[in-house]
Amino acid sequence: MPNNSHEHPEEKMPQSRIATALREYGNKAAFAPMFADRVQRRINAAPANNPAMQALTPLDALAQELVWMFRRVAIVGTSLVVLLAGYNLYTNDDVSFDAVFGLPNEAHSLSVESVLMPD
Amino acid sequence: MSNFQRQQLFSTSKHLHDHISDNDLVAAVLRGETQAFAGIVRRYERPIAATITGMLGRTEEVEEIGQQVFIRFYEALPNFRGDASVKTYLTRIAINLSLNELKRRKRRFSLFRSVDDALELPSEADDHAESSADRELIEQALKRIPAGMREVVVLRLVNGYSTEETATMLNIPEGTVLSRLSLARKQLQTLLKPFFGEEYAK
C-alpha cells in the first residue's frame, strides 16, 4: 500500500469524518471483476502493439522507420500526381493517360533512324 | 528457464505474480510473455480505479479509461527506462486521461449548462447507510473542486500516497502539493460542513 512515512507535519489532517470518508471512498473504488482479463484480451486482440515486437533489433527498427517514412512520401506523391493530372486536364482539355503520369509518349518520341533518314 | 516454464510461471495465477518485482514482470512482457502483464494489472488496478473514480466519479467511463491506462502503459513499455516506478507511470497516465475526459465533458456540456450546476449534494445523509451516504457526499464534493486541487486530494487523501509521492506523480513541487491540499481541504470543509457537522468536518 502507499507509503505514508513522509507525511508532512503541517498537513496532518484530523481523523475527521471527511478524512475517513475520503479514504473509504478510495478503498471502495474498484473495477468490475475480471478487469485484468479484459485488459489482457484487448492487448491480445492487437498483437501489433506487443512491446516485444516493438523492441526490435536496430535493423528491423530502421526497416520499420523506412516503411513509415515512405508511407508519408507515398501520400504526398499521390497527392502531387492527382494535382498535376488535374492541372494538365484543365489546361489541355484532353490529355492521354501516359502523359498524365509522365510516361513517354511513343507517338511524339524521336528515334535515331527518323532523324538520320527523313522521309 | 525454458519458455514453457516461464509461461507456467506467468500464467493466470495472480499469487505467483505477487512475488515477482515490477521490473521482472516488465522484462518478461518485453520478452514476449504477454501474460506477465496481467500481474502488473492485478497489482495496480485498485489504486488506478481509486484515482480515476476520484477524478471522474463513479461513471461508466471509469472502466474504459482504466483499460486505456494499462494499454497505453503496455504500448509504451519499450520506452520504460525504470527511472520512475511502474506505479508512478500508471498514475500519471490515469491522471492525464482523467483530465482529458474532464475537458471532453466540459466541451460537451458547456453548450447546455455548467457541469457544476448539474450536481447537487444530497439534502441529508441517510443514517441507516451512513458510510454509503458519506461516499456519495464525498464524490459530489470532489466534483465541485477544481481539477488541479482534485488530483492532489485524490492522490494524497483518497489513495493515501505521501506528499513526496504525490509531487513526483504530478511532477510538481511538494510545496505546491501542500498549498493545493490546504485550499482543497478548506473547500471540502465548506461544502461538507452542512452534512458532516462543524466538529466532524475539520
Side-chain angles (χ1 to χ4, degrees):
Chain A
M1 279 306 286
N3 172 20
N4 284 318
S5 59
H6 298 99
E7 188 173 337
H8 196 282
E10 291 176 14
E11 56 157 322
K12 277 185 181 171
M13 196 170 186
Q15 289 300 309
S16 67
R17 196 167 149 193
I18 290 181
T20 308
L22 280 166
R23 182 57 62 85
E24 193 178 331
Y25 183 80
N27 290 339
K28 294 280 182 185
F31 297 115
M34 313 296 282
F35 175 78
D37 293 341
R38 288 193 296 283
V39 172
Q40 197 71 50
R41 269 200 299 277
R42 282 182 68 170
I43 286 170
N44 293 339
N49 295 333
N50 187 335
M53 295 287 286
Q54 292 175 40
L56 301 168
T57 63
L59 197 60
D60 290 335
L62 178 66
Q64 282 199 348
E65 285 292 319
L66 286 172
V67 168
W68 182 79
M69 194 173 73
F70 279 109
R71 195 176 296 158
R72 293 178 69 190
V73 172
I75 293 168
V76 173
T78 306
S79 306
L80 278 174
V81 165
V82 170
L83 280 173
L84 282 171
Y87 177 75
N88 286 337
L89 283 169
Y90 178 74
T91 52
N92 298 314
D93 289 338
D94 183 24
V95 177
S96 70
F97 183 82
D98 288 348
V100 166
F101 291 99
L103 300 173
N105 189 334
E106 288 180 7
H108 294 102
S109 62
L110 297 173
S111 66
V112 175
E113 288 81 6
S114 67
V115 172
L116 293 176
M117 299 191 316
D119 291 337
Chain B
M1 184 186 287
S2 71
N3 276 342
F4 175 74
Q5 285 172 315
R6 286 199 197 102
Q7 290 289 344
Q8 292 296 307
L9 183 62
F10 295 117
S11 65
T12 54
S13 171
K14 62 181 177 183
H15 298 297
L16 279 174
H17 292 144
D18 290 346
H19 303 291
I20 301 171
S21 73
D22 286 350
N23 285 341
D24 286 346
L25 285 173
V26 168
V29 177
L30 288 173
R31 283 195 303 267
E33 294 157 8
T34 57
Q35 287 297 320
F37 194 71
I40 295 174
V41 178
R42 289 195 184 96
R43 188 169 293 172
Y44 293 109
E45 66 175 286
R46 292 273 322 255
I48 293 301
T51 301
I52 301 170
T53 308
M55 291 298 292
L56 302 178
R58 287 166 291 179
T59 61
E60 59 186 16
E61 291 93 354
V62 170
E63 165 82 18
E64 172 59 24
I65 291 173
Q67 290 191 22
Q68 281 295 326
V69 168
F70 287 100
I71 289 169
R72 289 205 182 188
F73 179 67
Y74 179 81
E75 290 171 355
L77 272 181
N79 303 321
F80 180 74
R81 295 186 301 277
D83 47 358
S85 69
V86 170
K87 178 175 70 178
T88 299
Y89 271 102
L90 287 170
T91 307
R92 276 182 189 165
I93 299 171
I95 290 285
N96 287 337
L97 291 183
S98 299
L99 291 174
N100 288 346
E101 171 62 17
L102 288 173
K103 283 181 194 163
R104 192 184 67 82
R105 284 184 190 177
K106 197 173 180 181
R107 280 198 302 272
R108 188 200 287 175
F109 290 113
S110 61
L111 289 173
F112 305 102
R113 59 186 177 183
S114 156
V115 174
D116 285 347
D117 289 343
L119 302 171
E120 284 184 3
L121 290 170
S123 56
E124 58 181 335
D126 180 357
D127 289 339
H128 299 291
E130 185 180 87
S131 172
S132 172
D134 282 2
R135 285 202 303 279
E136 178 64 24
L137 284 165
I138 287 292
E139 184 165 310
Q140 296 297 320
L142 282 174
K143 283 180 179 176
R144 290 198 173 195
I145 61 174
M149 291 184 200
R150 197 185 311 167
E151 61 188 12
V152 170
V153 172
V154 166
L155 297 185
R156 181 68 190 85
L157 301 180
V158 174
N159 272 332
Y161 295 129
S162 69
T163 304
E164 185 184 4
E165 286 176 311
T166 303
T168 304
M169 287 169 175
L170 297 177
N171 200 23
I172 55 176
E174 285 185 42
T176 308
V177 171
L178 292 172
S179 61
R180 286 189 193 175
L181 191 62
S182 173
L183 289 169
R185 281 175 56 193
K186 283 178 187 161
Q187 289 200 16
L188 287 174
Q189 284 166 9
T190 305
L191 286 164
L192 295 168
K193 201 187 296 176
F195 306 95
F196 283 13
E198 185 94 35
E199 68 274 28
Y200 295 110
K202 287 176 185 172

PDB file of all heavy atoms in Angstrom, chain A residues 55-74:
ATOM      1  N   ALA A  55      10.268  -3.899 -29.514  1.00  0.00           N
ATOM      2  CA  ALA A  55      11.660  -3.917 -29.086  1.00  0.00           C
ATOM      3  C   ALA A  55      12.473  -4.692 -30.122  1.00  0.00           C
ATOM      4  O   ALA A  55      12.999  -5.761 -29.863  1.00  0.00           O
ATOM      5  CB  ALA A  55      11.779  -4.560 -27.707  1.00  0.00           C
ATOM      6  N   LEU A  56      12.567  -4.148 -31.319  1.00  0.00           N
ATOM      7  CA  LEU A  56      13.208  -4.834 -32.432  1.00  0.00           C
ATOM      8  C   LEU A  56      14.700  -4.536 -32.463  1.00  0.00           C
ATOM      9  O   LEU A  56      15.188  -3.628 -31.790  1.00  0.00           O
ATOM     10  CB  LEU A  56      12.557  -4.380 -33.738  1.00  0.00           C
ATOM     11  CG  LEU A  56      11.059  -4.625 -33.864  1.00  0.00           C
ATOM     12  CD1 LEU A  56      10.519  -3.876 -35.069  1.00  0.00           C
ATOM     13  CD2 LEU A  56      10.779  -6.109 -34.004  1.00  0.00           C
ATOM     14  N   THR A  57      15.396  -5.306 -33.298  1.00  0.00           N
ATOM     15  CA  THR A  57      16.812  -5.021 -33.494  1.00  0.00           C
ATOM     16  C   THR A  57      16.919  -3.689 -34.239  1.00  0.00           C
ATOM     17  O   THR A  57      15.963  -3.255 -34.889  1.00  0.00           O
ATOM     18  CB  THR A  57      17.451  -6.126 -34.342  1.00  0.00           C
ATOM     19  OG1 THR A  57      16.820  -6.110 -35.636  1.00  0.00           O
ATOM     20  CG2 THR A  57      17.284  -7.492 -33.703  1.00  0.00           C
ATOM     21  N   PRO A  58      18.076  -3.045 -34.183  1.00  0.00           N
ATOM     22  CA  PRO A  58      18.223  -1.758 -34.871  1.00  0.00           C
ATOM     23  C   PRO A  58      17.894  -1.850 -36.362  1.00  0.00           C
ATOM     24  O   PRO A  58      17.301  -0.940 -36.924  1.00  0.00           O
ATOM     25  CB  PRO A  58      19.698  -1.418 -34.650  1.00  0.00           C
ATOM     26  CG  PRO A  58      20.050  -2.106 -33.391  1.00  0.00           C
ATOM     27  CD  PRO A  58      19.248  -3.369 -33.356  1.00  0.00           C
ATOM     28  N   LEU A  59      18.264  -2.987 -36.989  1.00  0.00           N
ATOM     29  CA  LEU A  59      17.998  -3.139 -38.427  1.00  0.00           C
ATOM     30  C   LEU A  59      16.492  -3.199 -38.695  1.00  0.00           C
ATOM     31  O   LEU A  59      15.985  -2.540 -39.617  1.00  0.00           O
ATOM     32  CB  LEU A  59      18.663  -4.425 -38.939  1.00  0.00           C
ATOM     33  CG  LEU A  59      18.815  -4.519 -40.456  1.00  0.00           C
ATOM     34  CD1 LEU A  59      19.676  -3.380 -40.988  1.00  0.00           C
ATOM     35  CD2 LEU A  59      19.398  -5.872 -40.846  1.00  0.00           C
ATOM     36  N   ASP A  60      15.795  -3.985 -37.868  1.00  0.00           N
ATOM     37  CA  ASP A  60      14.341  -4.070 -38.032  1.00  0.00           C
ATOM     38  C   ASP A  60      13.684  -2.715 -37.758  1.00  0.00           C
ATOM     39  O   ASP A  60      12.740  -2.323 -38.447  1.00  0.00           O
ATOM     40  CB  ASP A  60      13.745  -5.113 -37.065  1.00  0.00           C
ATOM     41  CG  ASP A  60      14.141  -6.519 -37.479  1.00  0.00           C
ATOM     42  OD1 ASP A  60      14.426  -6.713 -38.676  1.00  0.00           O
ATOM     43  OD2 ASP A  60      14.153  -7.408 -36.609  1.00  0.00           O
ATOM     44  N   ALA A  61      14.217  -2.034 -36.749  1.00  0.00           N
ATOM     45  CA  ALA A  61      13.653  -0.725 -36.416  1.00  0.00           C
ATOM     46  C   ALA A  61      13.849   0.239 -37.584  1.00  0.00           C
ATOM     47  O   ALA A  61      12.949   1.002 -37.926  1.00  0.00           O
ATOM     48  CB  ALA A  61      14.321  -0.175 -35.159  1.00  0.00           C
ATOM     49  N   LEU A  62      15.039   0.157 -38.221  1.00  0.00           N
ATOM     50  CA  LEU A  62      15.316   1.009 -39.382  1.00  0.00           C
ATOM     51  C   LEU A  62      14.343   0.683 -40.514  1.00  0.00           C
ATOM     52  O   LEU A  62      13.795   1.597 -41.163  1.00  0.00           O
ATOM     53  CB  LEU A  62      16.772   0.810 -39.839  1.00  0.00           C
ATOM     54  CG  LEU A  62      17.185   1.605 -41.073  1.00  0.00           C
ATOM     55  CD1 LEU A  62      17.183   3.108 -40.777  1.00  0.00           C
ATOM     56  CD2 LEU A  62      18.566   1.169 -41.564  1.00  0.00           C
ATOM     57  N   ALA A  63      14.120  -0.624 -40.723  1.00  0.00           N
ATOM     58  CA  ALA A  63      13.193  -1.037 -41.782  1.00  0.00           C
ATOM     59  C   ALA A  63      11.803  -0.482 -41.516  1.00  0.00           C
ATOM     60  O   ALA A  63      11.138   0.026 -42.429  1.00  0.00           O
ATOM     61  CB  ALA A  63      13.153  -2.563 -41.863  1.00  0.00           C
ATOM     62  N   GLN A  64      11.385  -0.542 -40.254  1.00  0.00           N
ATOM     63  CA  GLN A  64      10.056  -0.027 -39.922  1.00  0.00           C
ATOM     64  C   GLN A  64       9.984   1.477 -40.124  1.00  0.00           C
ATOM     65  O   GLN A  64       8.985   2.019 -40.592  1.00  0.00           O
ATOM     66  CB  GLN A  64       9.711  -0.369 -38.472  1.00  0.00           C
ATOM     67  CG  GLN A  64       9.276  -1.819 -38.315  1.00  0.00           C
ATOM     68  CD  GLN A  64       8.498  -2.043 -37.031  1.00  0.00           C
ATOM     69  OE1 GLN A  64       8.478  -1.191 -36.168  1.00  0.00           O
ATOM     70  NE2 GLN A  64       7.864  -3.201 -36.916  1.00  0.00           N
ATOM     71  N   GLU A  65      11.090   2.155 -39.762  1.00  0.00           N
ATOM     72  CA  GLU A  65      11.130   3.603 -39.955  1.00  0.00           C
ATOM     73  C   GLU A  65      11.019   3.943 -41.441  1.00  0.00           C
ATOM     74  O   GLU A  65      10.337   4.891 -41.831  1.00  0.00           O
ATOM     75  CB  GLU A  65      12.448   4.172 -39.386  1.00  0.00           C
ATOM     76  CG  GLU A  65      12.487   4.254 -37.876  1.00  0.00           C
ATOM     77  CD  GLU A  65      11.503   5.294 -37.340  1.00  0.00           C
ATOM     78  OE1 GLU A  65      11.392   6.372 -37.935  1.00  0.00           O
ATOM     79  OE2 GLU A  65      10.829   5.005 -36.337  1.00  0.00           O
ATOM     80  N   LEU A  66      11.739   3.159 -42.284  1.00  0.00           N
ATOM     81  CA  LEU A  66      11.699   3.422 -43.727  1.00  0.00           C
ATOM     82  C   LEU A  66      10.286   3.216 -44.276  1.00  0.00           C
ATOM     83  O   LEU A  66       9.801   4.018 -45.076  1.00  0.00           O
ATOM     84  CB  LEU A  66      12.688   2.493 -44.449  1.00  0.00           C
ATOM     85  CG  LEU A  66      14.163   2.868 -44.285  1.00  0.00           C
ATOM     86  CD1 LEU A  66      15.068   1.784 -44.872  1.00  0.00           C
ATOM     87  CD2 LEU A  66      14.453   4.207 -44.967  1.00  0.00           C
ATOM     88  N   VAL A  67       9.648   2.116 -43.835  1.00  0.00           N
ATOM     89  CA  VAL A  67       8.280   1.857 -44.282  1.00  0.00           C
ATOM     90  C   VAL A  67       7.384   3.018 -43.888  1.00  0.00           C
ATOM     91  O   VAL A  67       6.597   3.516 -44.691  1.00  0.00           O
ATOM     92  CB  VAL A  67       7.751   0.540 -43.667  1.00  0.00           C
ATOM     93  CG1 VAL A  67       6.246   0.416 -43.876  1.00  0.00           C
ATOM     94  CG2 VAL A  67       8.478  -0.652 -44.275  1.00  0.00           C
ATOM     95  N   TRP A  68       7.553   3.474 -42.652  1.00  0.00           N
ATOM     96  CA  TRP A  68       6.722   4.586 -42.165  1.00  0.00           C
ATOM     97  C   TRP A  68       6.996   5.859 -42.971  1.00  0.00           C
ATOM     98  O   TRP A  68       6.085   6.559 -43.371  1.00  0.00           O
ATOM     99  CB  TRP A  68       7.034   4.810 -40.683  1.00  0.00           C
ATOM    100  CG  TRP A  68       6.215   5.896 -40.064  1.00  0.00           C
ATOM    101  CD1 TRP A  68       4.924   5.829 -39.632  1.00  0.00           C
ATOM    102  CD2 TRP A  68       6.636   7.244 -39.820  1.00  0.00           C
ATOM    103  NE1 TRP A  68       4.516   7.040 -39.136  1.00  0.00           N
ATOM    104  CE2 TRP A  68       5.540   7.930 -39.240  1.00  0.00           C
ATOM    105  CE3 TRP A  68       7.825   7.938 -40.037  1.00  0.00           C
ATOM    106  CZ2 TRP A  68       5.616   9.265 -38.870  1.00  0.00           C
ATOM    107  CZ3 TRP A  68       7.884   9.276 -39.662  1.00  0.00           C
ATOM    108  CH2 TRP A  68       6.786   9.915 -39.084  1.00  0.00           C
ATOM    109  N   MET A  69       8.307   6.101 -43.267  1.00  0.00           N
ATOM    110  CA  MET A  69       8.678   7.309 -43.990  1.00  0.00           C
ATOM    111  C   MET A  69       8.111   7.278 -45.413  1.00  0.00           C
ATOM    112  O   MET A  69       7.537   8.264 -45.887  1.00  0.00           O
ATOM    113  CB  MET A  69      10.206   7.416 -44.036  1.00  0.00           C
ATOM    114  CG  MET A  69      10.712   8.764 -44.462  1.00  0.00           C
ATOM    115  SD  MET A  69      12.488   8.856 -44.292  1.00  0.00           S
ATOM    116  CE  MET A  69      13.018   7.837 -45.643  1.00  0.00           C
ATOM    117  N   PHE A  70       8.257   6.130 -46.097  1.00  0.00           N
ATOM    118  CA  PHE A  70       7.775   6.037 -47.470  1.00  0.00           C
ATOM    119  C   PHE A  70       6.252   6.075 -47.532  1.00  0.00           C
ATOM    120  O   PHE A  70       5.688   6.467 -48.541  1.00  0.00           O
ATOM    121  CB  PHE A  70       8.331   4.786 -48.160  1.00  0.00           C
ATOM    122  CG  PHE A  70       9.730   5.000 -48.658  1.00  0.00           C
ATOM    123  CD1 PHE A  70      10.809   4.390 -48.050  1.00  0.00           C
ATOM    124  CD2 PHE A  70       9.957   5.861 -49.720  1.00  0.00           C
ATOM    125  CE1 PHE A  70      12.100   4.623 -48.489  1.00  0.00           C
ATOM    126  CE2 PHE A  70      11.251   6.092 -50.172  1.00  0.00           C
ATOM    127  CZ  PHE A  70      12.322   5.471 -49.561  1.00  0.00           C
ATOM    128  N   ARG A  71       5.630   5.669 -46.434  1.00  0.00           N
ATOM    129  CA  ARG A  71       4.172   5.771 -46.408  1.00  0.00           C
ATOM    130  C   ARG A  71       3.765   7.240 -46.489  1.00  0.00           C
ATOM    131  O   ARG A  71       2.856   7.614 -47.190  1.00  0.00           O
ATOM    132  CB  ARG A  71       3.632   5.127 -45.124  1.00  0.00           C
ATOM    133  CG  ARG A  71       2.144   4.867 -45.165  1.00  0.00           C
ATOM    134  CD  ARG A  71       1.693   4.140 -43.934  1.00  0.00           C
ATOM    135  NE  ARG A  71       2.285   2.807 -43.836  1.00  0.00           N
ATOM    136  CZ  ARG A  71       2.404   2.144 -42.696  1.00  0.00           C
ATOM    137  NH1 ARG A  71       1.985   2.667 -41.585  1.00  0.00           N
ATOM    138  NH2 ARG A  71       2.952   0.950 -42.689  1.00  0.00           N
ATOM    139  N   ARG A  72       4.510   8.064 -45.766  1.00  0.00           N
ATOM    140  CA  ARG A  72       4.214   9.506 -45.810  1.00  0.00           C
ATOM    141  C   ARG A  72       4.529  10.055 -47.195  1.00  0.00           C
ATOM    142  O   ARG A  72       3.788  10.859 -47.749  1.00  0.00           O
ATOM    143  CB  ARG A  72       5.046  10.232 -44.755  1.00  0.00           C
ATOM    144  CG  ARG A  72       4.639   9.878 -43.347  1.00  0.00           C
ATOM    145  CD  ARG A  72       5.516  10.569 -42.348  1.00  0.00           C
ATOM    146  NE  ARG A  72       5.282  12.016 -42.323  1.00  0.00           N
ATOM    147  CZ  ARG A  72       6.058  12.863 -41.664  1.00  0.00           C
ATOM    148  NH1 ARG A  72       7.082  12.432 -40.995  1.00  0.00           N
ATOM    149  NH2 ARG A  72       5.798  14.153 -41.672  1.00  0.00           N
ATOM    150  N   VAL A  73       5.696   9.620 -47.771  1.00  0.00           N
ATOM    151  CA  VAL A  73       6.069  10.103 -49.101  1.00  0.00           C
ATOM    152  C   VAL A  73       5.017   9.676 -50.117  1.00  0.00           C
ATOM    153  O   VAL A  73       4.670  10.427 -51.030  1.00  0.00           O
ATOM    154  CB  VAL A  73       7.466   9.552 -49.487  1.00  0.00           C
ATOM    155  CG1 VAL A  73       7.778   9.869 -50.936  1.00  0.00           C
ATOM    156  CG2 VAL A  73       8.512  10.152 -48.573  1.00  0.00           C
ATOM    157  N   ALA A  74       4.525   8.450 -49.962  1.00  0.00           N
ATOM    158  CA  ALA A  74       3.530   7.943 -50.904  1.00  0.00           C
ATOM    159  C   ALA A  74       2.275   8.810 -50.884  1.00  0.00           C
ATOM    160  O   ALA A  74       1.707   9.107 -51.950  1.00  0.00           O
ATOM    161  CB  ALA A  74       3.175   6.497 -50.554  1.00  0.00           C
TER     162      ALA A  74
END
